[in-house]
């Protein structure tokens, strides 16, 4: 039996969408393995090389330093934001206390503040404190963006956990803190992990803060891209190699949390 | 320990972070917005000048241009994202191997660094060796050699394109989430009655999706108002000032002209615009809920 026209149209559309989404990414990956000469031709017939990666990790680009900066900034931000946000999220999810709504609204509303507003005063403060071009500066500023967002996300996950076993444990005499540690945290662990990965992705890709607050020592990967724009023109094959370094870890993380993706950063908004 | 005090205690660490990293800098920037502070001339904060910095915004062509650029960018990118995300969600609603595959692929653009997206598109639209520029030239010879990013309108179009490429997939997931919560009975009843697919979509599905679409539209508006990274890496605000969005303009005022007072005032104007939109959005959502329960 032949498939209907609609069946074919649908398949063709899906293929077209996947191509539109994948093509720019695939092209960047290809370019990263091309020799400079080949990077400026559209031919797919080239002999792949790892030379670009060797070049970007060597002087004067030192991509390794940027990788290290990115890893440290993103990891420390996650390690500070997620535990603090988890406690707050539990409080917002389980207690009905006066002023709670106002605090929740206050924390959420900071999400509507554009980053450029935050970075101006931080630039001035870090300048007088001598913290410009340090990883600490980046971690502090990233916390501003990431914390409210993670509270929001983890609250969504905790809301979805039934309270029965918590109540039973407390009737048996367990303290609230024990309940949080032994019952809620293990049950919320997948959600907290998902939120941590989202948080890592946001910090890893962050560009504006790093562009303004770093010069040389604390430059992160996204800002490093701009340095491949030289007087000799844009060095596309090197930019692409750096792009691959930025993208691969994040793609792996994104695919790991794929199932929870819909609940992502707008967990509370759709409800 | 009492639950009541514990409930506040648990909030303390997170609240301290928000206080130190958001509320304090906001207060600092509000004070700065009322001062004259040219960083090239003075290290310390200057004199209070009242509303002068805010008044300056209304006479300054750079600000007015950026307001206009931002409006065009927001309207086109929000409209396109909304239409594309909703259409993709309707297409991906069914189950199937290719549907699942496409859904997985759609996660990638959101995970990609916006700065890198800007760089990649700049490469692909290079008129001499960019793969999209050359590809379009091969299919439509009239387009060959078009200076895509050197023409004001086309540069804006490509900026919108990169933004839609980045966000439409993510918003598709939100629309899919909304579709999943829409009951299918009415739809199936209509199908049995012989209603066409288009009629079902416009007459039954879309009206039920109003709440979700509103959320998507407002979130996208907020993201579009903040958009900065791609402007730096794709167009650099050019050609001329044709893609200087508000966020990019504030960045220039602060970190190229070093006029901290004026930049802070502009930053507060942008915040005010975003706050107004979010208040309006909360109101719309609330009235939507009332309609749903009535």
């Amino acid at each position: 039996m032949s498939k209907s026209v609609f069946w074919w149209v649908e398949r063709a559309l899906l293929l077209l969408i996947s191509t539109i989404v994948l093509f720019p990414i695939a092209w960047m990956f290809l370019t990263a393995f091309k020799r400079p000469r080949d990077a400026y031709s559209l031919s797919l017939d080239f002999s792949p090389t790892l030379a670009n990666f060797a070049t970007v990790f060597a002087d004067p680009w030192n991509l390794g330093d940027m990788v290290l900066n990115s890893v440290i900034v993103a990891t420390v931000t996650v390690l500070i934001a997620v535990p603090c946000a988890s406690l707050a999220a539990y409080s917002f999810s389980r207690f009905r206390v006066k002023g709670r709504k106002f605090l929740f609204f206050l924390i959420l509303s900071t999400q509507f503040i554009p980053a450029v507003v935050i970075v101006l005063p931080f630039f001035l403060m870090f300048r007088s404190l001598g913290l410009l071009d340090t990883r600490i500066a980046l971690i502090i500023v990233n916390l501003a963006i990431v914390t409210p967002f993670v509270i929001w996300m983890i609250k969504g996950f905790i809301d979805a956990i039934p309270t029965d076993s918590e109540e039973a444990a407390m009737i048996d005499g367990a303290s609230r803190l024990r309940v949080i540690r032994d019952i809620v945290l293990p049950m919320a662990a997948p959600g907290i992990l998902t939120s941590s990965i989202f948080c890592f992705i946001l910090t890893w890709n962050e560009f504006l803060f790093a562009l303004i607050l770093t010069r040389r020592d604390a430059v992160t990967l996204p800002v490093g891209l701009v340095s491949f724009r030289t007087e000799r023109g844009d060095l596309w094959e090197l930019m692409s190699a750096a792009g691959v370094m930025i993208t691969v870890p994040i793609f792996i993380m994104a695919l790991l949390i794929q199932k929870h993706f819909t609940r992502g950063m707008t967990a509370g908004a759709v409800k | 320990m009492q639950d009541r005090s514990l409930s506040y205690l648990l909030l303390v660490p997170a609240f301290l972070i928000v206080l130190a990293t958001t509320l304090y800098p906001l207060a600092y920037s509000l004070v700065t917005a009322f001062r004259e502070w040219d960083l090239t001339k003075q290290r310390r904060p200057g004199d209070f000048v009242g509303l002068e910095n805010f008044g300056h915004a209304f006479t300054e062509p750079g600000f007015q241009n950026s307001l206009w650029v931002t409006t065009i960018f927001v309207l086109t990118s929000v409209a396109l994202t909304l239409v594309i995300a909703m259409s993709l969600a309707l297409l991906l609603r069914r189950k199937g191997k290719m549907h699942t595959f496409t859904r997985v692929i759609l996660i990638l653009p959101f995970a990609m660094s916006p700065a890198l997206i800007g760089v990649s598109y700049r490469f692909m639209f290079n008129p001499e060796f960019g793969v999209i520029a050359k590809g379009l030239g091969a299919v439509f010879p009239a387009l060959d050699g078009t200076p895509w990013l050197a023409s004001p309108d086309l540069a804006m179009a490509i900026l919108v394109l990169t933004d839609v490429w980045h966000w439409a997939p993510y918003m598709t997931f939100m629309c899919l989430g909304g579709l999943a919560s829409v009951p299918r009975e009415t739809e199936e009843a209509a199908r049995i009655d012989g209603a066409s697919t288009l009629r079902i979509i416009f007459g039954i599905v879309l009206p039920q999706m109003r709440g979700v679409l509103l959320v998507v539209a407002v979130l996208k508006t907020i993201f579009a108002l903040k958009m900065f990274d791609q402007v730096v890496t794709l167009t650099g605000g050019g050609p001329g000032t044709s893609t200087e969005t508000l966020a990019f303009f504030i960045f220039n005022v602060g970190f190229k002209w070093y006029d901290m007072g004026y930049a802070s005032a502009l930053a507060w104007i942008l915040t005010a615009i975003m706050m107004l939109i979010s208040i309006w959005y909360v109101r719309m959502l609330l009235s939507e809920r009332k309609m749903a329960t009535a």
Side-chain angles (χ1 to χ4, degrees):
Chain A
M1 206 180 104
S2 69
K3 307 274 186 191
S4 71
V5 178
F6 183 75
W7 192 93
W8 286 107
V9 170
E10 196 181 44
R11 293 310 179 277
L13 276 174
L14 290 174
L15 194 67
L16 180 70
I17 294 158
S18 305
T19 310
I20 290 174
V21 170
L22 274 180
F23 183 76
I25 302 170
W27 195 253
M28 177 185 78
F29 271 76
L30 279 180
T31 309
F33 294 96
K34 283 179 172 180
R35 280 166 224 287
R37 191 165 26 90
D38 297 325
Y40 297 90
S41 80
L42 303 182
S43 165
L44 288 175
D45 175 29
F46 65 95
S47 51
T49 168
L50 288 172
N52 297 327
F53 292 91
T55 309
V56 293
F57 277 102
D59 243 11
W61 311 109
N62 297 320
L63 200 75
D65 296 347
M66 296 177 206
V67 173
L68 191 67
N69 287 332
S70 284
V71 169
I72 292 175
V73 169
T75 310
V76 176
T77 306
V78 170
L79 288 179
I80 298 174
V82 170
C84 296
S86 304
L87 295 180
Y90 179 83
S91 178
F92 281 130
S93 172
R94 291 294 190 260
F95 296 112
R96 306 259 169 270
V97 179
K98 245 193 195 170
R100 189 192 71 113
K101 265 196 176 158
F102 171 74
L103 283 180
F104 192 55
F105 176 76
L106 186 72
I107 287 178
L108 278 196
S109 61
T110 61
Q111 287 241 299
F112 295 124
I113 297 161
V116 70
V117 180
I118 303 283
V119 80
L120 277 159
F122 267 120
F123 177 79
L124 296 166
M125 290 189 278
F126 288 147
R127 189 166 146 273
S128 48
L129 292 169
L131 280 176
L132 283 180
D133 204 15
T134 62
R135 293 168 192 151
I136 297 171
L138 286 183
I139 292 165
I140 293 173
V141 185
N142 275 311
L143 281 175
I145 298 298
V146 156
T147 311
F149 160 70
V150 182
I151 294 177
W152 193 356
M153 249 186 107
I154 297 183
K155 181 182 177 287
F157 285 110
I158 295 181
D159 283 345
I161 300 173
T163 53
D164 315 16
S165 47
E166 280 173 65
E167 279 154 16
M170 279 193 294
I171 289 168
D172 289 346
S175 73
R176 187 63 92 155
L177 285 174
R178 259 202 82 165
V179 167
I180 294 177
R181 198 190 62 195
D182 294 344
I183 299 175
V184 182
L185 281 185
M187 283 178 89
I192 293 176
L193 186 71
T194 305
S195 313
S196 306
I197 291 178
F198 259 91
C199 175
F200 191 94
I201 295 177
L202 275 186
T203 319
W204 182 268
N205 286 340
E206 201 289 319
F207 178 73
L208 170 67
F209 298 148
L211 181 72
I212 291 170
L213 300 176
T214 67
R215 285 278 166 281
R216 200 170 51 94
D217 296 338
V219 172
T220 57
L221 283 170
V223 174
L225 286 173
V226 183
S227 59
F228 295 109
R229 228 174 247 178
T230 67
E231 289 113 50
R232 287 182 291 144
D234 297 350
L235 307 172
W236 297 112
E237 70 287 355
L238 300 185
M239 267 188 196
S240 304
V244 168
M245 295 302 301
I246 299 179
T247 308
V248 167
I250 293 303
F251 277 2
I252 293 172
M253 290 186 185
L255 293 175
L256 282 179
I257 54 165
Q258 179 217 330
K259 283 208 175 111
H260 303 284
F261 206 79
T262 349
R263 299 172 72 173
M265 58 195 293
T266 41
V270 192
K271 278 181 198 155
Chain B
M1 199 190 295
Q2 281 286 312
D3 271 1
R4 201 185 140 78
S5 37
L6 181 69
S7 78
Y8 288 114
L9 204 62
L10 293 175
L11 292 178
V12 169
F15 196 72
L16 281 180
I17 292 180
V18 173
L19 197 71
T21 63
T22 309
L23 302 178
Y24 177 71
L26 273 183
Y28 192 108
S29 103
L30 189 61
V31 174
T32 311
F34 292 98
R35 285 176 189 276
E36 188 190 331
W37 191 354
D38 183 341
L39 218 52
T40 55
K41 292 187 192 131
Q42 58 202 98
R43 278 195 70 85
R44 314 213 126 264
D47 300 330
F48 277 97
V49 290
L51 287 167
E52 197 181 284
N53 287 322
F54 289 93
H56 190 36
F58 290 96
T59 55
E60 214 247 324
F63 170 70
Q64 283 158 15
N65 171 66
S66 74
L67 212 54
W68 175 242
V69 167
T70 307
T71 309
I72 302 275
F73 176 78
V74 169
L75 290 180
T76 47
S77 89
V78 170
L80 275 173
T81 305
L82 213 57
V83 172
I84 291 174
M86 191 59 221
S87 318
L88 286 188
L90 284 168
L91 195 65
L92 288 171
R93 180 154 69 140
R94 296 155 192 280
K95 289 197 170 66
K97 266 191 195 139
M98 256 199 82
H99 297 75
T100 313
F101 174 76
T102 312
R103 245 179 267 158
V104 172
I105 296 289
L106 281 182
I107 289 169
L108 301 179
F110 172 74
M112 214 165 144
S113 149
L116 181 57
I117 294 175
V119 167
S120 301
Y121 274 84
R122 195 179 146 86
F123 179 37
M124 293 189 297
F125 274 102
N126 184 303
E128 281 162 59
F129 49 79
V131 64
I132 297 181
K134 281 288 159 195
L136 284 172
V139 183
F140 309 100
L143 292 178
D144 198 34
T146 308
W148 293 97
L149 289 163
S151 139
D153 293 339
L154 292 176
M156 173 57 96
I158 295 169
L159 193 66
V160 172
L161 173 75
T162 61
D163 192 58
V164 172
W165 186 86
H166 183 205
W167 281 111
Y170 184 82
M171 298 302 182
T172 303
F173 286 102
M174 287 188 64
C175 292
L176 274 170
L179 275 176
S181 60
V182 167
R184 298 294 280 267
E185 293 87 15
T186 0
E187 239 178 284
E188 264 143 38
R191 199 174 300 275
I192 291 164
D193 287 348
S196 70
T197 309
L198 276 182
R199 251 202 101 135
I200 291 174
I201 290 174
F202 283 99
I204 298 170
V205 180
L206 285 185
Q208 286 179 298
M209 290 284 290
R210 274 185 53 186
V212 177
L213 290 176
L214 190 66
V215 173
V216 171
V218 174
L219 279 176
K220 187 64 198 65
T221 307
I222 286 165
F223 296 145
L225 279 168
K226 293 202 239 187
M227 211 276 302
F228 174 83
D229 304 7
Q230 289 112 304
V231 181
V232 175
T233 58
L234 183 78
T235 65
T241 56
S242 58
T243 54
E244 259 190 29
T245 58
L246 204 41
F248 187 76
F249 183 65
I250 297 171
F251 163 78
N252 274 344
V253 171
F255 302 102
K256 286 221 173 89
W257 311 353
Y258 289 107
D259 189 342
M260 291 298 157
Y262 185 38
S264 301
L266 290 176
W268 271 90
I269 293 176
L270 176 58
T271 311
I273 295 173
M274 291 173 72
M275 286 295 170
L276 282 178
I277 290 175
S278 26
I279 291 169
W280 170 78
Y281 144 74
V282 171
R283 283 200 158 174
M284 288 264 283
L285 260 189
L286 288 180
S287 65
E288 191 82 11
R289 285 236 172 105
K290 257 183 222 150
M291 272 170 53
T293 49

